[in-house]
Amino acid sequence: MDKILILDFGSQVTQLIARRVREAGVYCEIHPFNRSEEQIKAYGPKGIILSGGPASTLDEGSPHTPPVVWKMDVPVLAICYGQQDMCLQLGGKVEGGHAREFGKAMIDIKDACDLYADFWPLGSKQQVWMSHGDRVTKLPQGFRVTATSDGAPFAFVADEKRHYYGTMFHPEVVHTLDGANLLSNFVHKICGCGSDWSMKAFRANEIERIRKQVGKGKVICGLSGGVDSAVAAVLIHEAVGDQLTCIFVDTGMMREGEGQQVVDLFRSHYNIPLVAVDAGQTFLTALKGVSDPEQKRKTMGKLFIDVFDAEAHTIKDVEFLAQGTLYPDVIESVSFTGGPSVTIKSHHNVGGLPDRMKLKLVEPLLELFTDEVRVLCRELGLPQSFVGRHPFPGPGLAIRILSDITEEKLAILRKADVVYLDEIRKAGLYDEIWQAFAVLLPVKTVGVMGDGRSYDNVLALRAVTSVDGMTAESYPYEHAFLAKVATRIINEVPGINRVVYDVTSKPPGTIEWE
């Protein structure tokens, strides 16, 4: 299988490079910039992409491309910081103190280039996404400028003899129009990769890998109620059958009826052995008085492992633990550069287990992104109602209550959430929206309801559109729809007297949206 290697310098949007490459049907992986020569050669890439990053190539101790990259005779696409580092290492010059560019910008196509010849005509202006302070001021020998912008006289550079290309803009971000085409051309036309990355092939390969890893051993899988762990369980069950037992820990922080849906799916639809644990009161007690969302995550993460471990000990001769760890979980939990892309998801147990569990990990989704898991869902035949369900964070309603947690607040939020999602479905909007949910705010307001005053909670509604969860825009509801939802919630959910809509969007590079 043809592979592309992405060397990460800490950009907030490095994952998007991998997404665009995989969308082009080519397998790729993100590795830290400081991989050894042996590791890079062993990976065997047909091409290399250098990501952006927050550092300055002019600073002492800044990260640099491993020298082996320039000896491998493979095409290189260098983005933003990557372009600066490439030019610096190959004999060019980089300077700071010039005009910075952040956000949308226009580039002028000054010369033809085989990387974009089929969609960016000579003399045209094209919209891109810039994010840089330093800039290249002198090119290495063999390079030429093919596009410029007001803040970047070397916006696109190329050495087509060696197949080296550099952009000061970010083609991976959707705001760069035709950026996906540019990356597709690089991996196909320049690197010569075939389109052999498919979910059908992944499914077959992963089933075979699981069988080899597990052998005749027993596997337990912790179900959180979300799509990721469910898909991991179904895939493993397809590989090893009843050697798998699932343990569903209901934390009491799920949406209305979702715990029962998980039980029904596994026991009735798939007939997969399942142990269901109602731990709602245990979690509620542990979270008493806790308001900080990070502390909630850590408390729930530790308690989940404790409850799961206790149940796991009732199953004899278990050797393996299955987790629905995704590729973004791994990338976000490993510091490649110490830059702003490093955000550890503290409610995930990524890359390890408590020593006392003494189990070997099985992580069949480790190479997949969130939206790829949805594709695998369909490939495995999971019900569409489950496949298309909006993402739900591991800590659940605990972090959608922006104060301490009580049974009363959980009941209020569940009822409001039911009304909100019901109206979204009735309006035919559910599948247009990537994620919609209600948030109970830590404030109360005075209102007049009927003939009396009320002093009750404020509820915020969120809805965003997204493709891969890396960027998101608030959904543009019509006012009449929001008025209808707010009226129903206030009339049907005691304890709420005001509803607001949060139009905050998720900018490129923000890792998590809850």
Side-chain angles (χ1 to χ4, degrees), residues 203 206-207 210-211 221-223 226-242 244-246 262 265-267 269-272 322-324 364-365 376-383 386-387:
R203 175 186 181 183
E206 195 59 29
I207 286 173
I210 292 168
R211 287 172 179 163
C221 179
L223 295 178
V227 174
D228 302 340
S229 59
V231 172
V234 172
L235 185 63
I236 293 168
H237 186 256
E238 189 169 305
V240 299
D242 287 350
L244 169 71
T245 299
C246 292
V262 173
L265 178 67
F266 280 82
R267 285 184 176 163
H269 190 85
Y270 282 102
N271 197 29
I272 297 175
Q323 292 187 161
L365 310 183
L376 181 57
C377 265
R378 297 182 180 92
E379 178 71 27
L380 291 168
L382 273 79
F386 189 80
V387 175

Side-chain angles (χ1 to χ4, degrees), residues 416-428 481 488:
D417 201 61
V418 166
V419 173
Y420 183 31
L421 294 179
D422 180 55
E423 286 298 329
I424 289 174
R425 289 189 174 95
K426 286 179 178 177
F481 173 83
R488 270 199 66 187

Side-chain angles (χ1 to χ4, degrees), residues 15-81:
Q15 288 186 48
L16 291 182
I17 304 173
R19 287 299 304 114
R20 303 298 170 250
V21 172
R22 290 192 184 182
E23 285 167 2
V26 179
Y27 182 73
C28 64
E29 290 182 10
I30 300 170
H31 289 201
F33 72 92
N34 55 0
R35 276 287 189 254
S36 69
E37 179 173 331
E38 292 74 19
Q39 288 171 318
I40 292 174
K41 286 182 176 179
Y43 181 74
K46 291 199 71 172
I48 295 174
I49 299 176
L50 308 179
S51 84
S56 169
T57 57
L58 306 176
D59 292 342
E60 184 178 350
S62 59
H64 295 292
T65 307
V68 67
V69 168
W70 315 117
K71 303 174 185 177
M72 291 182 64
D73 193 29
V74 298
V76 176
L77 174 62
I79 297 171
C80 198
Y81 180 92

Side-chain angles (χ1 to χ4, degrees), residues 329-361:
D329 298 334
V330 177
I331 300 304
E332 291 165 9
S333 300
V334 178
S335 176
F336 286 174
T337 65
S341 67
V342 178
T343 297
I344 296 176
K345 289 184 159 189
S346 53
H347 56 284
H348 280 290
N349 186 32
V350 177
L353 298 168
D355 291 338
R356 70 177 188 274
M357 295 190 75
K358 301 186 185 304
L359 297 174
K360 291 169 279 189
L361 280 174

Side-chain angles (χ1 to χ4, degrees), residues 397-449:
L397 300 181
I399 54 170
R400 292 179 178 174
I401 297 174
L402 303 186
S403 60
D404 63 312
I405 301 168
T406 65
E407 289 186 357
E408 180 186 12
K409 291 176 182 178
L410 285 168
I412 290 172
L413 187 54
R414 282 197 184 95
K415 290 177 183 177
D417 201 61
V418 166
V419 173
Y420 183 31
L421 294 179
D422 180 55
E423 286 298 329
I424 289 174
R425 289 189 174 95
K426 286 179 178 177
L429 301 176
Y430 191 84
D431 291 336
E432 292 184 26
I433 297 169
W434 183 73
Q435 188 181 44
F437 55 90
V439 179
L440 195 61
L441 300 181
V443 293
K444 289 187 174 183
T445 61
V446 175
V448 176
M449 300 182 72

